């Protein structure tokens, strides 16, 4: 998600990231402007790789010390979700779009990352949260976990909350 985000947002996003901070500690967040994304803000966070997604071959000693255990990785993913959603609250945003953090190249088991994400969204201080998925297995697992736990919303709810009661198409015409 990071590479796709930076490609779409344009070079000013990366420049702002480098200006604000050389390195972002795991699970901490940094807020930048949205660049060419059409979003007011981008909330950046870093999560470690989960050991279940790691290459089973032995690692060189210098890199082996940087690897999180499964419990550490999962705790940092929980903290990253909480910090990102907390930043949304502090910015007083009415909606947020998140990638399904941990479900891609970081190698978290989909069930684990989805469980952590669903719980974070259930406690989210943001009225409307949208999660983006890059593949079907992850999407299906999130749907399965959300069916009984999160309130769904109808198109009218979204329209009223985000687009001043208009269809998305009509809202875009006015922008």
């Amino acid at each position: 998600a990071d590479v796709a985000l930076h490609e779409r947002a344009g070079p000013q996003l990366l420049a702002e990231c480098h200006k604000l901070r050389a390195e972002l500690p795991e699970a901490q967040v940094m807020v930048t402007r949205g660049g060419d994304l059409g979003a007011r803000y981008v909330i950046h966070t870093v999560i470690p790789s989960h050991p279940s997604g790691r290459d089973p071959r032995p690692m060189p000693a210098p890199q082996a010390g940087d690897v999180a255990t499964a419990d550490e990785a999962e705790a940092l993913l929980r903290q990253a979700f909480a910090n990102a959603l907390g930043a949304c609250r502090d910015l007083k945003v009415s909606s947020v779009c998140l990638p399904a953090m941990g479900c891609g190249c970081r190698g978290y088991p989909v069930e684990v990352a989805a469980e952590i994400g669903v719980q974070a969204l259930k406690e989210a201080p943001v009225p409307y949260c949208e999660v983006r998925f890059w593949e079907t297995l992850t999407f299906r697992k999130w749907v399965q976990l959300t069916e009984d736990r999160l309130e769904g919303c109808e198109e009218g709810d979204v329209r009223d909350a985000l687009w001043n009661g208009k269809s998305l198409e009509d809202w875009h015409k006015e922008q």
Side-chain angles (χ1 to χ4, degrees):
D2 183 56
V3 172
L5 180 88
H6 280 279
E7 284 178 359
R8 201 148 169 236
Q12 67 273 25
L13 181 65
L14 187 58
E16 188 174 354
C17 288
H18 287 217
K19 182 180 173 187
L20 291 173
R21 184 171 269 173
E23 188 173 316
L24 187 61
E26 290 174 337
Q28 298 305 304
V29 297
M30 176 177 67
V31 178
T32 63
R33 288 169 291 180
D36 294 338
L37 292 173
R40 282 190 206 118
Y41 308 105
V42 173
I43 300 169
H44 306 262
T45 191
V46 175
I47 58 172
S49 293
H50 193 280
S52 70
R54 198 169 43 236
D55 186 329
R57 296 175 289 187
M59 295 178 79
Q63 286 85 13
D66 291 337
V67 176
T69 66
D71 288 342
E72 292 167 336
E74 292 163 21
L76 286 165
L77 180 59
R78 268 186 208 86
Q79 187 178 355
F81 266 108
N83 289 343
L85 292 166
C88 292
R89 177 199 57 233
D90 296 345
L91 294 165
K92 296 179 173 46
V93 299
S94 59
S95 67
V96 62
C97 179
L98 298 168
M101 290 193 292
C103 294
C105 67
R106 293 298 179 185
Y108 286 71
V110 173
E111 296 80 8
V112 170
E115 178 68 37
I116 291 169
V118 167
Q119 188 60 38
L121 292 176
K122 187 175 180 182
E123 299 165 2
V126 179
Y128 177 80
C129 295
E130 180 178 316
V131 180
R132 296 287 174 103
F133 302 93
W134 302 107
E135 50 86 33
T136 307
L137 175 66
T138 302
F139 172 73
R140 287 185 180 145
K141 182 49 71 176
W142 275 70
V143 167
Q144 179 185 355
L145 286 170
T146 58
E147 284 179 332
D148 297 334
R149 296 198 233 166
L150 294 178
E151 227 180 275
C153 61
E154 300 296 323
E155 182 183 345
D157 297 331
V158 174
R159 194 172 45 241
D160 292 343
L162 301 178
W163 307 312
N164 302 324
K166 300 176 174 80
S167 71
L168 179 59
E169 184 179 345
D170 290 341
W171 181 84
H172 273 295
K173 289 176 186 174
E174 292 179 3
Q175 301 308 307

